[in-house]
Each structure stands twice: as C-alpha cells, then as structure tokens.
C-alpha cells in the first residue's frame, strides 16, 4: 500500500528545488515553513488514508456509461466531495475566488501524492486546475464572476476539449465550428475525442473549454477560438438552468486509468430538444484560442510529469515492500537468519537490489526536476520584470524535460516494478501491473514526448540566444565542483561522473544550436529525443548531488550520498552514448528510411 | 494486421544463423533449401491467414472457467485442430512417434510466426513440445509408447507443473508430494500455480509433467522427482479411461495473454470420488527430476525468447503501417503531396522514423540471436563428439542472452509501438497495447531475466575455462574486420563501432571471469544484468553486419547495410556505458542498500 513519502517530498521541495530559501526571505508573503510542512502532512494523510484505498476499485470497476450518464467507480463521488471540502482544489487559485494563492510548488507536491494514490482520480482536479488557469488569464469579468468560484471550490469541474479524430498533435486542422449569435453567445457544433472526465457524476456541473473555428476564420492554428460551454447553463443567480446541447456519446476502452472517463463529446446534435448548437461563450479573443491554451500548457505538462513521478514512487514502494517479504534462493553472504531458514528475502540478491536502487534514483531525479520546474514557475510570478523573465524562460526550458523525463521514468520504473514481483507482477490483483497500465498514457498525452523533444530543441534551447540554457548548465557545473571540492570519499567517483555528464550535455547543446543556426533542422530533430534523455539524466545526477551535499540533521544525509553515488557510477555513463547519438546519429537516419518503405 | 515476414525470416535463418550452409553440406540429411522455403511459406500463410484473425478475440474474451471446465475463446478449439492437422506440432519430434525430425531452427522460425499471430495461443504447443522433449529424453519405453504419438500429433497437449506459491525461482522448496504404490505407480498430492494451458477444451487429453517430492527425499533440489500425470487415465488400448484426481481450481486474472488459461491445479483432492491422489508415473529416476527439467530448459527458454522476437515484429509492423497512414503536422522538407495537403504522414517526422528504425534494428537483432542459438542446438545434435560438445556449449552460452535480450526487446519495442500510435495506442481496440500486455510476462517466466543474467555470468562464461566465450568473441571480431575491410562507405562508422562494442564486451567478460576466480561473486552478480544487455547489443550489431555483408540478389542488400549502420551509429555507443556499469557499478551498490531499509 502506498504511503505518501512526505519527508522525501519536503526535503526535495525545500532543499533541492529551492522552496526553503524562497520562504525564508518572504518571497511568498507570510507563507511559513511550518505551514508548508502542515500542508504536506495533511495532503499525505489524505492521499494515504482516503484516496489510496479507493484506487484499486477505480481500476477494476472503471467508469461506466449508463443511459447517457457516466458513473464513476463506487465511492468516488464521496471521495471527490471529501477531497474538495478539504480545500485542495484551490491551493494555487486567486484568493478573490476562494483560492489560497499558495506557491505552485506546493500544488505540484500535492498532485504527486494524489496521483500516486490514484492517477485516474487525480485527473479530474488536474483538468479543473487547467480550466481555472485559462479563465483567470483570459476570461471576461462576467465569465470569471459566474464560473470561477465554483471551479475553485471544486463544486464544478473543468475539461479541455482539443482533440478530434484527425487533429491530435496538429490542432490547426480541427473542424469543430462555432457560430456567432447576436446576443454575444456562440453555438458550437462538432465532435471531440479523448475528453478526460468529460462527463461524470462527481460534481454538479462541468465547464467545458472547447477549441472551435469561426466561419471565415483563417486556416490553421490562427483561426482557432476558445469557448466556455457548460454542461448545465447557469442562471443569473448562479443556480443551474437547463441542460446545454452537449453530451457524452461513448467512453474509450483503455489500457489504464480505467476510473477516469475518457469521453467522446458531441456538441450541437440537439439531443435534448430545442434549437441545435451548444451555447458557448468566447474566452479571450476570436482566433486567439491557441494562445489561450498555451498559457496553461506549461502547468498542464508539468502536471503530467507529476503523474510519472507519482507512479514511479508508488511502484517503487510496492516493489521494495515485496522484495523485503518474498524469499527465494540464497543470496551471496546470506547467513540464513531466523525463521526463513536458508532462503533470503529477494532484496538481498544483488540484481534485485540494483533494480530497486535504480528505481529509487530515477524516481527521485524525476521528482527533483519537476519540483525545480515548479519553482521556476513560482519565481516567474513572484519576481519583478527582468528576473521574472529569466525564471519564465527557466520554466519554459525545464517543462519539456520535466514532462518527458518524468513520464519515461514512470513507465520504466513501473515496468521494473513488475519485474521485481516475478510471476506475481503479471497478476492483476497484485497491483504492480496497474501502475504500468495507468502511466503508459503519460508519455503520450499533453504533447507526446517526441513533441516535447522538438519543443525543447527548437524553441527552448534558442531562448535568449542560447543564454538561458548555457546559464543553466553553468549552475550545474557549480554542483559538480561542490561535490569534487567536498573531498568526501562516500561520493566515490561522483564528481568526475557529473563533470563528464555535464560536458556531454554542453557539447550536445552547442551542436544542436549550431546546426539549427545553419538551417539543418532535420539533423537537430533526429537527435531531439536522445538529447532530452541526456538532459534529464544529467539533471538527475546533479539534483541528487545537490541534495546529497546538504545535511539537515534528519539522519538522511548518508543515504542521499549513497544514492547519488550509485546513480553517478551506474546511470550517468549513458550520457556519453546519448551525446554521441545526438551528434552522430542523424547521418545514418536518411539512408535507413528505406527499411520503412 | 500482422503478415508473416517470411523473406526476412528465411534470410536470417539461412545467411545469418547458418542454416543454408548446413543444408548445403547435407548436415540435416535430405533436407533441401526448397523444402525449407516451402515450410516457411506455409507456416507464414497459416499464421497470417488463420491464426492472426483469431488473436484479438482471444484477448477480449480470454479463457473462462465454467463449472470446473476451462473454455478457450471462440474459434480456438477449431483453430487448434486445423493447426495440428497441418503437422506443425511435430516438426522436430522423432519420426518413430510421427514427428518430422526437422532442425530446431525451422521450429523456432515457425514459433516466431505463431507467437506474432497470437502469443496466448502459441503457448499451448510450446508447452506440449517441452513435454515431448522430456519424455523422449527421460521417459520409459512404456510411457513413450503410450503418450508420445498423441503428444506429437497434438491430439493431446502437455503442461509443466513446477511453480508453487512459495517456490518460483527456487524449486528446492516445493512441497507437492508423491507416494509410491506397489504397482509401480505413484499418487500425487499438492497445489501448483501458474500452470499454462493446465486445463482447456482444445484437446482430448492433457499430459501434466509434475515436480514432486517423495517421502524421505533429500532436502532441496536433489529431492525432486518428475511425474507424468494425465488428465484422463489412458487404457492399455490407448483409449481414454476415467478422470484422474487433478483439476483446475481457478484461473489467474492477468495483464495479458488472456486467451491462455493460467491455472491453479489441485492434485489429490479426491473431487471426482474414489481413492485420493492423482495417479502418476515416474519420468526418469527418483530424485533426479530437476535434471530432467534442465534437459528441456534450453529449448523452453529459447521458445520464450521467440515470443519476444514475435511481439517485437508484430508491434513494429503495426506501428510502421500506422505511421504511413496517419498525418499530423509538417515534417522538414515535406512538400505537401497529393490529397493530404500540408500534413505529412507521421513517418516523415525524424523522431518517428528514428523510433521505427530502432524498433526494426532491435527486432532483427533479437531474431538473429535466437536463430543462432537454435542453430547451435541443432549442431549439437548433428555433429560428432567434440564438435557436438562445442556446439552444446555455444547453445548454453547463447540461451540466456537469447531469452533475456529478446524478451527485453519485446517489451521495449511494444512500448515504442504504443508511443508511435499516440493517443490511439492507449485505446485497446487499436491492438498496440495488447502487444505490451502480452509480452510483459516473457522477461519473467521460464527464469526471470535476472536469473538468466546470473546463469550467463556464473555458469556460462566459465564454460571450458572461458574458452567458449573467448572463442565466440573471436568470431565476432572477424565480422567487424570484414566490415572494415569492405571499404563500403554505406557502412559509415560501422566497423569502428563494432570494434569498440566487441572490445567492451571482451573487457567486461574478462573482468567477470577474473572477479569470480577471485571469489568476488557478489560483484559479478551486481553487474550481471548490464552485462547481459551488453552481450545482446553487441551481438545485434554483429549479426546485422553479418547479414549486411551478404548480397543474395534479393534487392535487400542496401537496406540491410543501412539498418546495420543506423544500429551501429545510434545504439552501439551504449555498450561502453554498460561495460562501465559492469566493472565500476558494484562498488556503489552495498552503500546504497541503505536506501532500501
């Protein structure tokens, strides 16, 4: 059973990602470190005691479509009510609408815990948070007045309606259409697929944000507008009016996250009678819908990265517990203690230990990267002008790495977790397989990891003419030098391994900037995915080292050093191979395309 | 839809793994290359046309336990009958019992095709083949007479009953007991789990091979005996008698291979009335049961390796087809041809092409390794004395690599296949997710890949005092030198990359032999899994090169060179990092164990 690792989370937030220092100098107003601890403790308690026990039933029952209504798994509507009554939905939302205006870092840490307990459940608030963000940034005062308080409290949930059957990664070709009406409203017609929590029974109303195209809009992404379309129309006094012309046509049968309804939504079919067309309100300006979506893209991508961290954490906990309890064979040096006779717990076998420590290191690295990204987002909101711009760039740079590395790690660690369980890992009742099934979507949605890599290489590396990434690499070098300067033998070869990894990252970064400047975009794109992995691995090494350099007297310092050294001496050597693939890999790609003909 | 890649399979069998030369010099009697082609063609036709269409229903329906009987999915009993009537079950079995006594290589190639079409279905004959092998090697004449012909024809199927809840990898602790009776038979009592095709409706009888312990047998693995226990007792005239005291208590609810019933079998519960105890006959000698199992271990492990190859092939085909058809965005250099307007097929995007070519290269490498292993098994049976011993060692060396590398590749490629499909990959109807669900068991059963690694490092490297592996590495060097000597610019850096990879393999091999000689087994075990991967990757490079050096005038030579170069310049660099992990990784492991406390 998952138990929220509150201490580990707090340490990473405070001492690796930078929350403690920011709180110390009052960056977040009167937020105290005590309040931070209290919030994390309480979130951990809720995730462990209330959410985790209902995660499994969400998987086995799944969401069901019954007579046009979606029923979530047994106990989920009550769980959702308890959760939102705890105030968790509005952690970062504006105080004016009932939120707590806390740093994004805290919300990200809480999201990790919700997702570990049940990724399928946690998707509901994740989508609502995105809707809140879009409305705060782009909604008219009237829309904010009418919808925000209910979304912030969680009484209503939100959705994002982007994908259509022919328009996934490429939103420029979507066909859902919107018609202007004289009263300032719009009518929406079309079909959207893969709509997460598009219909359900856990909240009174659902606020759909829908991308659609106006008549005579420019072709492509510059002709897309964003509309707010509530499931139930809302009267002037805030009470719910009649059903709007939108419904859930079907649910997808998915590999995982079964408790999360993935809906095909039909707009404007007139199924409830009356005039056809779902009534919608414009968010932002006409034809600027994609820009509105981009506003919340960073946070949404980071939230998906947290799913990777969350599943990796839960899968690791489960595998470690199993490996302590299961006995098979006799490990080298095992003395046959106690009742277990000759057999060792499998955790004593070097191969199993190596696997579990690898899982730990990757999980902790992914966590640190995601929290550092959240820190950059917070700083971009809380600093003035130039510094804010620097931090916004930092967040932009880290976002694709956080999303892709953490979700790849989620899949990798969940798969290793199955392996540690042996045959039991393949049996669904064990629960290890569910983690792999659930997390397998994370490298895909919110922009596939391939698209993240393209974003990283073509849009993020060139920020400030490459100065942002170069500055960041400079900071990483300082960590490596601090390790080397520590002269602590427990670090082993860590200093040199970090230097080599950072040098590989620097060389690959320079090469990618160079070839793009020379117009060789195809070469840069061919190496984008290995580069992204190189970035994530190097950051993992550096962040583990950053944490290992700090002793806060919690008795964890030695463990952190040992984990860091293991990571450096076992996993960082891959960075050299990755650099090689980035720089030398593209040459062979074109000729090899013939094998795909 | 999967289409058996008969040409690719034939090329690899003949020109990479060595079948053509062996046939040429009459190593397999009057087997001609024409007959080889005809068999592969016909197997491909059956897999593509008859088996593939029923693979999906096996997954969605699954095997069901109804009133104590197991029902296989709709159409499967008929499919099984057609399949065995085609003579496929007895391909390698002795002619005396109705088999065709063909080389194991052909059977392995056919197994690949059955497993691509439906891994769950192919498990039934895979288990039967194992039972045939055990009986041929260790059964008494009476047992052979009574059971072998029916098993070879496939009218009856076989099972292996090893695992118990507390005894998986460690069979020494199993508790199922056998009692001697005066008439020379035994009575078996106990519970076995994870019994593949332990009960079903596709054959008239099921022949269970069961490991059990006699009273007063020595403790551990030296006190285990093997028994034949038929589902229905067999009369002297070969007709079926009454039901034996064994039944399927329950089926597992698994991540994948849903069509394959995974049974908990109860022996000796007396549920059918009469005296308690399942009637069994000893196979081989008392207390030598484990040795009997080991006889067929090589073939069984290779058969699981073929599952990895098979799923990798099927997943690659599916992903390539999808990437040709699906359009999104505009790839660099895409001119917007034809009706598709501005959008490119996603296969044009460098990142997608890189992914698909990686899938191709890994699949082809895993296939070549498995076929080479089958070749070594064949040679060990068809050569005299000393040479046979050499080839038996070669087979023993390659078996853990074939099993582990191919199954890891199966999981990796199936997961990449999902990724290429984007959101559709997560939807079960697409079929890409099924490949990952099915193949995820392959790195686990028949000895986990961690156990394969231990076997490779501790038992296979020391064969002939290390001369077997050193000789093999010498052969690999010749391939690298041939590439270098070819001076073909289309090979790019392949020659140097191969040399470096082989040098890494050689260094790691030397180190592992050295530390084991020095009694540092724990250090060797810590590096076993990275070493196994290093071995598999290096072999992949070498075998792709071996194939690329041959032009048989089939128009495929250029493609093979291009794929080989891609592999060498993109995937082989990892070998250096793996060598590093083997040699330097263990130092940090002990200290890092504290993080698992």
């Amino acid at each position: 059973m998952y138990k929220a690792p509150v201490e580990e989370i707090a340490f990473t937030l405070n001492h690796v990602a930078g929350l403690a220092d920011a709180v110390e100098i009052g960056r977040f107003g009167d937020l105290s470190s005590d309040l931070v601890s209290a919030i994390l403790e309480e979130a951990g308690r809720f995730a462990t005691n209330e959410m985790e026990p209902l995660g499994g039933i969400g998987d086995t029952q799944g969401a069901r479509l019954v007579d046009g209504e979606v029923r979530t798994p047994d106990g989920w509507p009550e769980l959702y009510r308890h959760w939102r009554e705890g105030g968790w939905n509005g952690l970062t939302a504006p105080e004016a609408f009932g939120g707590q205006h806390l740093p994004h870092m805290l919300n990200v840490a809480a999201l990790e815990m919700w997702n570990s307990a049940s990724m399928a459940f946690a998707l509901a608030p994740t989508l609502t948070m995105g809707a809140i963000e879009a409305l705060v940034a782009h909604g008219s005062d009237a829309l904010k007045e009418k919808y925000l308080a209910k979304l912030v409290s969680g009484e209503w949930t939100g959705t994002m309606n982007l994908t259509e059957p022919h328009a996934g990664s490429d939103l420029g070709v979507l066909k859902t259409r919107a018609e202007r009406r004289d009263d300032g409203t719009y009518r929406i017609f079309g079909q959207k697929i893969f709509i997460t929590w598009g219909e359900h029974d856990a909240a009174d109303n659902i606020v759909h944000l829908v991308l659609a195209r106006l008549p005579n809009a420019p072709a492509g992404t510059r002709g897309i507008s964003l509309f707010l379309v509530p499931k139930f129309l809302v009267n002037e006094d805030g009470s719910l009016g009649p059903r709007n012309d939108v419904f859930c046509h079907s649910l997808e049968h998915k590999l995982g996250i079964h408790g999360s309804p993935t809906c095909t939504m039909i707009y404007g079919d007139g199924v409830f009678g009356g005039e056809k067309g779902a009534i919608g309100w414009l968010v932002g300006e006409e034809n600027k819908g994609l820009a509105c979506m981009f506003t919340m893209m960073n946070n949404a991508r980071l939230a998906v990265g947290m799913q990777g961290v969350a599943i990796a954490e839960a899968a690791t906990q489960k595998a470690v517990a199993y490996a302590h309890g299961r006995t098979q064979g006799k490990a080298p040096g095992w003395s046959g203690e106690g009742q277990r006779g000759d057999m060792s717990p499998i955790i004593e076998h070097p191969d199993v230990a190596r696997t579990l420590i690898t899982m730990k290191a990757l999980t902790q690295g992914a966590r640190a990267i995601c929290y550092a990204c959240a820190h950059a987002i917070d700083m971009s909101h809380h600093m003035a002008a130039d510094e804010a711009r620097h931090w916004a760039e930092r967040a932009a740079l880290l976002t694709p790495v956080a999303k892709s590395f953490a979700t790849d790690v989620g899949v990798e660690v969940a798969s290793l977790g199955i392996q540690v369980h042996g045959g039991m890992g393949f049996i669904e009742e064990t629960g290890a397989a569910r983690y792999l099934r659930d997390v397998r979507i994370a490298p895909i949605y919110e922009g596939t990891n391939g698209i993240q890599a393209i974003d990283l290489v073509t849009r993020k590396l060139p920020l400030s003419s490459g100065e942002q990434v170069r500055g960041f690499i400079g900071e990483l070098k300082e960590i490596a030098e601090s390790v080397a300067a520590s002269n602590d033998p427990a670090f082993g070869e860590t200093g040199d391994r970090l230097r080599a990894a950072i040098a590989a990252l620097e060389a690959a970064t320079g090469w990618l900037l160079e070839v793009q400047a020379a117009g060789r975009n195809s070469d840069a794109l061919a190496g984008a995915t290995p580069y992204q992995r190189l970035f994530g691995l190097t950051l993992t090494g550096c962040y583990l080292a950053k944490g290992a350099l700090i002793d806060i007297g919690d008795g964890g310092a030695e463990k952190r050093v040992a984990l860091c050294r293991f990571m450096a001496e076992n996993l960082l050597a891959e960075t050299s191979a990755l650099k090689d693939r980035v720089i030398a890999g593209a040459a062979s790609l074109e000729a090899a395309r013939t094998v795909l003909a």
Side-chain angles (χ1 to χ4, degrees), chain A residues 341-484:
Chain A
D342 266 358
M343 293 169 93
S344 331
I346 60 172
I347 205 164
E348 296 293 328
H349 291 286
D351 189 65
V352 174
R354 187 191 48 73
T355 304
L356 292 169
I357 299 167
T358 301
M359 293 164 74
K360 278 250 176 200
L362 291 174
T363 303
Q364 178 58 14
R367 174 184 285 132
I369 293 169
C370 288
Y371 289 3
C373 182
H375 179 65
I377 294 171
D378 280 331
M379 297 301 271
S380 75
H381 294 155
H382 286 85
M383 306 286 279
D386 258 19
E387 286 207 81
R389 185 164 159 273
H390 162 76
W391 284 106
E393 282 193 359
R394 174 64 54 87
L397 175 68
L398 286 180
T399 296
V401 181
K403 194 274 181 182
S404 63
F405 185 75
T407 55
D408 283 345
V409 160
V411 172
E412 188 175 342
V413 169
S415 191
L416 289 173
I418 291 177
Q419 191 70 20
V420 169
H421 283 79
M424 291 304 296
F426 200 63
I427 306 299
E428 285 289 2
E429 284 80 356
T430 304
R434 167 161 73 97
Y435 289 135
L436 179 61
R437 289 192 289 97
D438 282 354
V439 79
R440 191 60 194 79
I441 187 61
I444 294 173
Y445 60 16
E446 221 33 65
T448 66
N449 286 3
I451 284 175
Q452 304 297 326
I454 294 171
D455 178 55
L456 174 63
V457 165
T458 64
R459 283 190 288 270
K460 303 307 174 58
L461 293 190
L463 286 171
S464 290
S465 309
E467 284 312 310
Q468 174 59 232
V469 66
R470 278 191 283 265
F472 185 57
I473 290 173
E475 293 171 29
L476 302 181
K477 285 181 183 173
E478 288 174 25
I479 297 173
E481 294 316 312
S482 298
V483 171

Side-chain angles (χ1 to χ4, degrees), chain A residues 200-361:
Chain A
H200 61 85
D201 57 2
D204 299 334
N205 202 4
I206 302 173
V207 179
H208 303 293
L209 294 182
V210 185
L211 287 182
R213 192 178 287 285
L214 285 162
N216 306 320
T221 54
R222 286 177 197 161
I224 298 173
S225 306
L226 182 65
F227 299 92
L228 182 155
V229 183
K231 173 182 173 185
F232 290 102
L233 297 171
V234 180
N235 300 319
E236 283 313 306
D237 64 357
S239 63
L240 295 184
R243 184 81 187 248
N244 203 350
D245 187 9
V246 49
F247 73 102
C248 170
H249 171 267
S250 56
L251 295 183
E252 300 291 352
H253 175 220
K254 308 185 299 292
L255 175 61
I257 52 170
H258 294 159
S260 167
T262 302
C263 308
T264 296
M265 303 298 296
I266 308 284
Y267 290 85
D269 233 31
V271 286
F272 301 109
E275 189 201 357
K276 280 193 182 184
I279 303 175
W281 286 265
L282 186 69
V283 178
E285 294 174 42
E286 289 189 352
N287 300 329
K288 298 273 175 70
L290 211 62
C292 297
M293 298 302 298
F294 270 117
T295 307
M296 59 185 161
M297 208 74 104
N298 272 1
N299 285 2
R301 290 180 166 183
L302 178 55
V304 173
M306 291 321 302
Q307 298 178 337
V309 175
I311 299 295
E313 171 65 34
T316 302
Q317 286 192 20
K318 191 174 203 67
V320 169
Y322 184 82
H324 274 297
R326 171 76 173 174
T327 59
Q328 284 298 271
K330 193 178 168 192
W334 178 250
S335 54
E337 288 162 14
Q339 309 155 311
R340 295 174 171 196
D342 266 358
M343 293 169 93
S344 331
I346 60 172
I347 205 164
E348 296 293 328
H349 291 286
D351 189 65
V352 174
R354 187 191 48 73
T355 304
L356 292 169
I357 299 167
T358 301
M359 293 164 74
K360 278 250 176 200

